[in-house]
Amino acid sequence: MSEDKFMQVLIGPQHPGSGHMRFIVKMDGDIISEFEPDIGYVHRAVEKIAESKRYIQIVPLVERPILADTANINLGYILALERLLGIDAPPRAQYLRTLLAEINRIHSHLYGLGIHGIMIGSSTIFMWCFADREIWIELAQELTGARITYSYMIPGGVRRDLPNGFNEKLSKAIAYMEERLKDYEKIFINNPVVTARLIDVGIIKKDDAIKLGIVGPNLRASGVAYDVRKIEPYCAYPEIDFDIIVRKEGDAYSRVLVRFEEIKQSMKIVKQVVEKIPSGPIINESYLKLIPPKLREKAEQTGIWKMPAIFINLKPRKGEAISRVEAGRGEVTHYIVSDGSPNPYRFRVVTPSFRNLIAFKYTMPGHRLADIPAIYGSLDYFPPSADR
Amino acid sequence: MVFSITRSLKSFGKFLRRILIRIIEKRPIRDIRDWGISYSLWPAHFTTACCGAEFAAASAPRFDAERFGFLPFTSARQCNVVFIEGTLSRKMAKAARMVFEQMPEPKFVIAMGACPIDGGIFWNSYNIVLAHNILPVDVYIPGCPPRPEAVARSIMMLQDKIKKMGGAKYDELK
Amino acid sequence: MMSLNELKEMIEKELGALAFKVDSEAPNLIIINVEAPNLFEVAFKLNHMGFDHVKVVTGTDYPIEKKIELVYHVSSYTNIDLAKVIIALKIRLDKSNPKVKSLVKIWPSAEYLERETYDLVGIIFEDHPKLERLLLPSDWDQIPPLWKDFKIKTEGIDA
Amino acid sequence: MISLDQIIRLIFFPPIFITIVFPGLIALLIVIVFLIWLERKIAAKVQLRYGPLYILKPLGGVIQTVADLLRYLFAEVIIPRRADKFSFIMAPILSFGFAFIPIVALPISSKYFAFKSDLSLLVVLALLTIAPIFILIIGWASDNKFSFIGSLREGYMIMAYEVPLFLSVLAMAILYNTLDIIEIVETQSKWVWGILLNPIAAFVFLICTFMMTARFPFEISEAEQEIVMGPFTEYTGIIFGLCMSYSYIKLYILSLLFAYLFLGGWYPIVWPFTLNPIMPGIITLIKGLIVMIIGIFLRSVYPRFRVDQTLRIGWEGMFVLSIVALILSFSLVILVK
């Protein structure tokens, strides 16, 4: 223990409430006076490795750091790549992308809600969220063939068509989830202990949220109606009706509520997507041409497409492209610099967790030690995605 | 004088410890111990990378690793399994080694995912460490990320290793 | 609603001689090329216009020209019109002496982004509140990993 | 030669039976093993899981805690280099001991007890208050910041739960006009159960029990996500086993005390075998178990409070309520007279 009146506490990386990072906390009694997140424990150099990989190989690479929200991160990369290639996905593919992105958003929010629950000691909400998350994971698995690393979006389209009987399963899942959300309200949202722990804790005011550049539900909980899906609509979002959930308080509880309501909004979107989805090809015609007619016929019957061989040697034009996508945790920005070769010259991805990191430093001071997990959970921070 | 007493006490302690270990390693006691340990594998809360998401799913209702007596617990001191969940970065490798050394014996290591085996998709990264370079891994789970069923399988494999192959040895006998 | 061209003209008028080239490549992107000494002033004016946060800070190494290109992608939360575009603020720095004035005072959201750029690309931001290693281990002693002369293994024959 | 008869008589000799069999060591061990399993199992049930299962599938893995105990028993005991070795080892043993000793003062029935005293209720409570002091010593001896913070939290909590607890017991003592547990139970058998006479005191006692035994939502001193394992962060092996059982022992004793004070002790049914200590013992145990199960069930409903909130509940909620309970008791006594 240091001699002055401050005590320095190091929390993590092996700590039940830290995740894959370390907090360097300076305590004045029970009050935090300085808070410094020490990240980099999961830094695996995605950006450097991407420079050694072909464009299509980066699709699975960008997913790995953000395992809880792979579809959205992938979508962002594909959008940036498509801008470089000057190609666009057909309408059906756009709807399928939206479908997967929203399913992923639901289970990403459930993940965040569950982790937040266990952070303040409610193991039940953790278990429930993770149990119900499996339902959405299974739907996505049915659609894409993988549990969480979908690699579903490819330049110019998607990998697979909607499987048979998907709509019934989806409507069943939505009906079930709506019932469950009522249970969540009983055990978590309206629990007196939860409200006592979260209300007026970790307040980020509107001005601060803008200044610090917070993203996603955390930003919207502070009263800023910023959602990339509305500001710069991509995929099928322009044709779909949904609301941006905004709350004014900016405390940990309102962040939970925003996430909670967004699950409902996502289910609304998913419902509309399966109703409105147009028929047609799922890959851009210019790539479809490259598939031999026999294989193409077979693919149209089964709905499973084999990727054309050209994908290994995609050569975008020289230049750069930036894309932004509203992922579950917030805005993902992909920035690609191409020099015309099959490998990107520079690949940059800024994930929502990395943008939210700054919130730790400026929100925590003034709170108690016991508030660290409450605020940490409410920010829905996913360390591997911040470290990349 | 005092110094020599403490030294002799220490050596007596070591001697006692060795005798105790000999007794414990005898047949009936060893079997009881192995049975107890194999159903009480508690990993420490130590998430090294993104496979942690699937690890969490493994202890969640659909897969429920607690059926095997597998309970993620708080600190290294009270646990006996280090669960390497995915890539070990250089910074994290130091922590992993420290966590392993803090654990009381007998202790085990399960390495999850392709990254601890050979680097996986990050094989050419400058910042990763392979698990076997720093820890004696008992069970590997291949996959990127492995499914929660595979995690459950790894627990059963470790149980078998302890029960049938005498996996739970104290360090002095290894 | 403001069209992209109107916005471009507005920015050109606002910045005047400070920016030597303003153009737009994509429908949502305006690129402003700036000389390093003018960066702080340009950023100040952009912030005044309503671009209130930094999205991305990227450093790209160009070894042949011995330059490092530093890009700030800036946008707005408060102004819906401005939110629809992203401004790329580009500065070219000498690789031998990559120093630039930090923009944290103008955009606090750049703090960790700049720190990461310092960590991985080696650009030194003057006046930064805490310019230390972020992602790399603190005992890292090699050249910044995102420089092109930092080689990693690649697939193929040379692997 | 000692005959079988003598052995039986020795076993059923009250001081031995009470300390060794019931409610002493053996019953305690079984109850703790059962309780920890039940805690995990109930939580699992609420959480749509199975909980511990494969260790003994036909009985739902009821011996899971035995396996955990075995692991603790055979695990290496690590004493950190910077710890104060003597107090590091002695403090948990003593806290375990002092938490256990009050059992001696618990009677099984009006004719079967280890010793009869006019102040047996006071003895139990007084001995129980000693144990937390060793938790403070543990925090100091471990030289770990989390242990230190955890034991400080325990220190803050001691006052907050003990004063209302004592006041609620005092309220009941006024009502029964005695401090002897046996007489308390006998009085209840003549009137009604204490929980009906003074429900406020019962409520305060129950909440303070959960505070004292670190049940949710008052699991403050061992708050996992904040301070790892609280005071016991550095402990390994069998000593950690002692630490872990410490709060369960307290829960056990306080639950039995709750049964004596508020639930009529061994007296719901008039049993025919007066000499037999088994029947009244079982009845008391069942009543105690109900209280314990309520305590462990709360885990799956509530998250945990912050330490300042808990202190506020202790001082502004429970303390005031316990005063109200005192007034209620006074007025009842005056009314009856």
Side-chain angles (χ1 to χ4, degrees):
Chain A
M1 260 151 256
S2 51
E3 289 92 28
D4 55 6
K5 68 170 191 166
F6 295 108
M7 180 165 86
Q8 197 187 40
V9 183
L10 301 176
I11 301 178
Q14 194 277 308
H15 186 283
S18 76
H20 336 31
M21 63 195 290
R22 164 179 276 170
F23 309 132
I24 301 166
V25 192
K26 222 176 198 185
M27 307 282 308
D28 179 7
D30 198 27
I31 309 288
I32 300 162
S33 67
E34 240 182 84
F35 192 93
E36 182 69 41
D38 173 17
I39 64 168
Y41 284 90
V42 209
H43 176 57
R44 292 169 295 186
V46 167
E47 287 172 13
K48 184 71 181 177
I49 295 174
E51 288 172 15
S52 74
K53 287 202 186 321
R54 301 288 164 100
Y55 280 98
I56 196 74
Q57 288 174 320
I58 298 174
V59 174
L61 180 70
V62 290
E63 286 182 342
R64 258 64 194 176
I66 314 186
L67 214 49
D69 197 8
T70 54
N72 283 304
I73 194 92
N74 225 329
L75 184 55
Y77 170 68
I78 294 293
L79 287 181
L81 182 55
E82 279 178 349
R83 262 168 215 168
L84 270 181
L85 288 164
I87 212 163
D88 216 359
R92 189 174 174 82
Q94 300 284 20
Y95 270 84
L96 286 173
R97 284 177 180 184
T98 313
L99 178 66
L100 186 68
E102 289 305 317
I103 288 178
N104 207 155
R105 188 186 315 279
I106 293 173
H107 78 65
S108 156
H109 276 340
L110 284 173
Y111 185 95
L113 212 58
I115 295 287
H116 191 196
I118 191 102
M119 287 276 184
I120 58 170
S122 171
S123 50
T124 301
I125 194 71
F126 167 78
M127 291 296 178
W128 282 8
C129 283
F130 271 68
D132 297 336
R133 185 171 165 258
E134 293 295 328
I135 287 160
W136 299 98
I137 286 177
E138 263 176 21
L139 276 176
Q141 185 175 314
E142 181 119 0
L143 184 62
T144 65
R147 218 181 106 80
I148 42 176
T149 48
Y150 306 122
S151 303
Y152 184 59
M153 292 104 179
I154 49 174
V158 293
R159 234 162 19 81
R160 282 182 176 203
D161 210 341
L162 214 56
N164 292 333
F166 187 80
N167 292 5
E168 290 84 70
K169 276 177 196 162
L170 189 70
S171 48
K172 240 190 205 169
I174 290 172
Y176 171 79
M177 198 65 215
E178 272 162 0
E179 281 303 305
R180 289 294 288 167
L181 287 181
K182 284 174 198 156
D183 291 347
Y184 288 9
E185 268 175 26
K186 271 179 219 151
I187 200 116
F188 191 68
I189 306 282
N190 294 331
N191 193 320
V193 184
V194 173
T195 50
R197 279 301 298 275
L198 298 184
I199 287 181
D200 286 342
V201 166
I203 296 176
I204 307 175
K205 290 197 197 85
K206 189 176 176 181
D207 293 353
D208 292 339
I210 293 167
K211 240 197 292 175
L212 298 177
I214 314 280
V215 287
N218 304 337
L219 179 71
R220 293 192 279 277
S222 295
V224 184
Y226 179 86
D227 190 320
V228 185
R229 291 175 293 175
K230 289 276 189 200
I231 299 285
E232 191 193 309
Y234 52 93
C235 290
Y237 288 112
E239 295 150 38
I240 280 168
D241 167 49
F242 66 97
D243 304 325
I244 308 179
I245 309 292
V246 182
R247 292 190 77 86
K248 288 200 190 73
E249 301 91 340
D251 56 359
Y253 190 61
S254 66
R255 290 195 276 275
V256 173
L257 287 182
V258 166
R259 246 171 232 120
F260 192 72
E261 294 296 323
E262 276 189 9
I263 293 175
K264 291 179 187 166
Q265 289 297 327
S266 287
M267 292 199 293
K268 197 170 143 192
I269 295 172
V270 168
K271 257 189 225 165
Q272 290 177 42
V273 166
V274 290
E275 274 167 23
K276 286 186 183 169
I277 188 163
S279 55
I282 55 166
I283 303 180
N284 191 301
E285 198 57 40
S286 58
Y287 290 137
L288 221 50
K289 271 189 297 195
L290 301 169
I291 301 173
K294 261 192 185 172
L295 274 176
R296 189 176 163 174
E297 211 170 278
K298 200 179 160 197
E300 269 163 7
Q301 282 165 7
T302 53
I304 299 167
W305 299 83
K306 199 160 176 273
M307 281 200 275
I310 188 180
F311 276 160
I312 197 63
N313 248 341
L314 282 179
K315 275 187 194 160
R317 70 182 161 84
K318 202 172 168 199
E320 58 189 89
I322 187 163
S323 79
R324 45 179 166 169
V325 160
E326 186 73 25
R329 288 171 171 74
E331 181 186 41
V332 182
T333 325
H334 288 265
Y335 175 57
I336 306 174
V337 181
S338 158
D339 60 349
S341 70
N343 300 334
Y345 188 76
R346 176 80 165 90
F347 173 73
R348 178 92 169 101
V349 46
V350 173
T351 52
S353 293
F354 192 73
R355 299 266 300 274
N356 282 335
L357 177 67
I358 194 168
F360 283 98
K361 192 174 172 181
Y362 291 101
T363 315
M364 294 286 188
H367 288 91
R368 287 170 188 280
L369 179 68
D371 286 329
I372 293 177
I375 298 171
Y376 175 50
S378 78
L379 290 171
D380 198 3
Y381 182 77
F382 194 62
S385 80
D387 295 1
R388 280 155 288 134
Chain B
M1 173 64 184
V2 177
F3 185 68
S4 69
I5 287 177
T6 50
R7 202 167 53 183
S8 60
L9 264 178
K10 244 179 208 166
S11 62
F12 177 70
K14 259 185 196 163
F15 172 73
L16 203 70
R17 185 183 144 88
R18 211 169 297 148
I19 291 211
L20 261 174
I21 288 175
R22 290 265 174 257
I23 294 169
I24 290 169
E25 286 294 336
K26 285 274 172 299
R27 202 58 212 257
I29 301 176
R30 195 181 76 195
D31 287 351
I32 292 170
R33 181 200 67 179
D34 288 353
W35 173 84
I37 289 172
S38 71
Y39 281 106
S40 172
L41 295 168
W42 288 14
H45 275 297
F46 179 59
T47 36
T48 63
C50 47
C51 284
E54 287 296 72
F55 177 77
S59 44
R62 180 69 60 98
F63 305 100
D64 193 16
E66 207 187 347
R67 288 175 299 165
F68 307 100
F70 186 79
L71 181 76
F73 205 65
T74 52
S75 104
R77 294 279 192 217
Q78 290 100 38
C79 298
N80 61 351
V81 180
V82 182
F83 216 104
I84 305 290
E85 296 153 15
T87 332
L88 278 174
S89 69
R90 285 193 195 179
K91 241 172 155 180
M92 195 59 109
K94 277 181 207 160
R97 183 72 211 176
M98 223 175 272
V99 169
F100 182 75
E101 276 165 7
Q102 278 179 348
M103 250 175 210
E105 286 169 8
K107 49 196 169 185
F108 315 95
V109 182
I110 300 179
M112 181 179 181
C115 301
I117 299 176
D118 68 341
I121 201 166
F122 301 104
W123 64 279
N124 55 353
S125 168
Y126 52 79
N127 203 28
I128 70 161
V129 174
L130 298 185
H132 62 251
N133 289 343
I134 53 158
L135 295 172
V137 181
D138 289 287
V139 182
Y140 285 105
I141 318 170
C144 188
R147 291 179 64 94
E149 292 96 320
V151 176
R153 179 77 198 152
S154 78
I155 298 164
M156 286 158 77
M157 277 171 77
L158 186 55
Q159 283 181 340
D160 277 357
K161 187 175 177 181
I162 292 166
K163 273 191 283 195
K164 292 176 189 154
M165 292 149 73
K169 274 211 173 108
Y170 296 96
D171 217 18
E172 287 170 22
L173 295 177
K174 266 181 190 164
Chain C
M1 287 300 285
M2 225 188 294
S3 80
L4 194 69
N5 275 331
E6 279 170 18
L7 193 67
K8 211 174 104 181
E9 276 160 26
M10 202 178 102
I11 290 170
E12 266 172 348
K13 211 170 82 188
E14 181 79 31
L15 297 181
L18 287 171
F20 68 81
K21 201 173 138 208
V22 178
D23 78 88
S24 73
E25 255 186 48
N28 62 346
L29 189 65
I30 293 176
I31 299 171
I32 305 175
N33 288 290
V34 188
E35 295 281 3
N38 294 339
L39 175 68
F40 196 78
E41 211 170 324
V42 170
F44 185 77
K45 284 192 168 161
L46 283 177
N47 187 28
H48 207 68
M49 281 176 75
F51 292 99
D52 49 25
H53 70 282
V54 179
K55 284 191 190 305
V56 188
V57 176
T58 319
T60 315
D61 179 27
Y62 291 97
I64 302 164
E65 300 145 53
K66 297 221 165 103
K67 292 277 184 189
I68 291 179
E69 191 179 69
L70 179 66
V71 189
Y72 286 84
H73 285 98
V74 186
S75 189
S76 173
Y77 278 151
T78 37
N79 190 329
I80 297 286
D81 279 344
L82 300 184
K84 289 186 195 305
V85 284
I86 298 173
I87 305 272
L89 204 57
K90 287 193 178 178
I91 315 100
R92 292 216 149 195
L93 303 167
D94 278 330
K95 201 174 168 183
S96 53
N97 184 25
K99 262 189 192 165
V100 73
K101 200 162 163 29
S102 161
L103 298 186
V104 173
K105 287 224 173 78
I106 296 169
W107 289 306
S109 45
E111 181 177 339
Y112 279 88
L113 291 161
E114 280 185 353
R115 200 171 146 190
E116 189 208 359
T117 311
Y118 160 76
D119 197 10
L120 298 181
V121 194
I123 297 173
I124 295 161
F125 294 91
E126 287 160 341
D127 277 357
H128 190 278
K130 190 168 184 173
L131 206 60
E132 288 172 13
R133 290 245 173 262
L134 183 69
L135 296 176
L136 295 177
S138 51
D139 55 353
W140 180 267
D141 52 359
Q142 301 171 48
I143 56 168
L146 281 176
W147 285 9
K148 290 288 171 188
D149 33 356
F150 184 90
K151 291 271 186 268
I152 54 168
K153 283 183 280 179
T154 48
E155 271 177 53
I157 301 159
D158 58 326
Chain D
M1 269 310 281
I2 308 164
S3 66
L4 193 69
D5 188 44
Q6 273 171 316
I7 291 174
I8 288 174
R9 211 178 297 161
L10 194 68
I11 287 174
F12 281 100
F13 178 57
I16 289 177
F17 187 79
I18 280 177
T19 42
I20 304 291
V21 185
F22 176 85
L25 273 176
I26 294 174
L28 182 71
L29 192 70
I30 293 170
V31 165
I32 287 178
V33 164
F34 177 70
L35 215 58
I36 293 177
W37 168 79
L38 196 69
E39 179 165 13
R40 289 169 72 173
K41 207 71 181 171
I42 288 177
K45 203 80 198 163
V46 175
Q47 293 161 1
L48 319 171
R49 296 184 292 131
Y50 283 110
L53 181 67
Y54 286 132
I55 187 162
L56 190 66
K57 211 175 170 191
L59 292 178
V62 69
I63 49 171
Q64 178 62 50
T65 321
V66 176
D68 293 337
L69 266 179
L70 277 175
R71 176 167 71 77
Y72 282 138
L73 189 64
F74 289 111
E76 185 189 5
V77 175
I78 299 173
I79 300 167
R81 198 188 307 145
R82 301 209 322 187
D84 187 294
K85 286 183 185 59
F86 180 72
S87 25
F88 186 80
I89 294 173
M90 285 314 284
I93 295 171
L94 285 174
S95 69
F96 178 89
F98 276 101
F100 174 74
I101 286 176
I103 279 179
V104 184
L106 296 178
I108 293 182
S109 78
S110 46
K111 295 198 178 71
Y112 199 87
F113 41 79
F115 67 89
K116 187 169 168 63
S117 155
D118 290 347
L119 301 171
S120 57
L121 185 61
L122 211 58
V123 169
V124 173
L125 287 172
L127 286 173
L128 266 180
T129 48
I130 297 176
I133 292 165
F134 293 101
I135 304 293
L136 295 179
I137 294 177
I138 285 175
W140 171 79
S142 311
D143 196 19
N144 176 314
K145 280 168 189 165
F146 295 119
S147 309
F148 185 67
I149 296 169
S151 61
L152 275 187
R153 284 182 174 196
E154 179 75 27
Y156 281 126
M157 299 265 294
I158 290 173
M159 281 297 147
Y161 59 66
E162 255 166 22
V163 173
L165 184 88
F166 273 59
L167 283 180
S168 69
V169 170
L170 185 64
M172 296 318 284
I174 290 166
L175 211 53
Y176 301 135
N177 199 18
T178 175
L179 275 173
D180 183 358
I181 294 176
I182 295 169
E183 272 187 42
I184 284 173
V185 177
E186 294 294 328
T187 325
Q188 284 181 72
S189 73
K190 282 172 212 150
W191 295 359
V192 279
W193 286 3
I195 193 166
L196 298 174
L197 286 174
N198 196 342
I200 298 172
F203 177 73
V204 172
F205 191 93
L206 198 65
I207 298 294
C208 291
T209 303
F210 297 151
M211 277 180 166
M212 200 169 184
T213 55
R215 299 288 95 207
F216 275 88
F218 307 110
E219 199 219 26
I220 307 295
S221 60
E222 293 164 25
E224 192 181 305
Q225 277 76 19
E226 294 148 26
I227 46 169
V228 191
M229 209 46 215
F232 315 128
T233 307
E234 287 287 346
Y235 281 94
T236 46
I238 195 64
I239 306 185
F240 179 71
L242 286 184
C243 296
M244 214 180 155
S245 59
Y246 159 77
S247 73
Y248 286 95
I249 297 170
K250 285 213 293 193
L251 180 65
Y252 176 74
I253 291 171
L254 285 168
S255 303
L256 288 183
L257 208 57
F258 188 86
Y260 290 131
L261 275 176
F262 299 102
L263 299 179
W266 51 85
Y267 254 126
I269 315 155
V270 181
W271 76 96
F273 335 99
T274 29
L275 258 179
N276 201 336
I278 291 167
M279 200 59 200
I282 286 174
I283 288 164
T284 321
L285 186 62
I286 287 170
K287 284 175 179 172
L289 269 179
I290 290 168
V291 179
M292 289 179 228
I293 288 168
I294 293 171
I296 59 179
F297 176 69
L298 293 177
R299 172 180 288 272
S300 41
V301 181
Y302 289 116
R304 72 172 73 78
F305 278 119
R306 269 200 319 258
V307 61
D308 57 321
Q309 288 166 339
T310 315
L311 293 179
R312 201 169 301 138
I313 287 170
W315 285 116
E316 290 176 8
M318 292 306 122
F319 181 66
V320 175
L321 271 182
S322 61
I323 302 266
V324 173
L326 261 181
I327 295 167
L328 184 70
S329 289
F330 271 122
S331 44
L332 266 178
V333 169
I334 291 166
L335 215 69
V336 168
K337 274 181 182 166

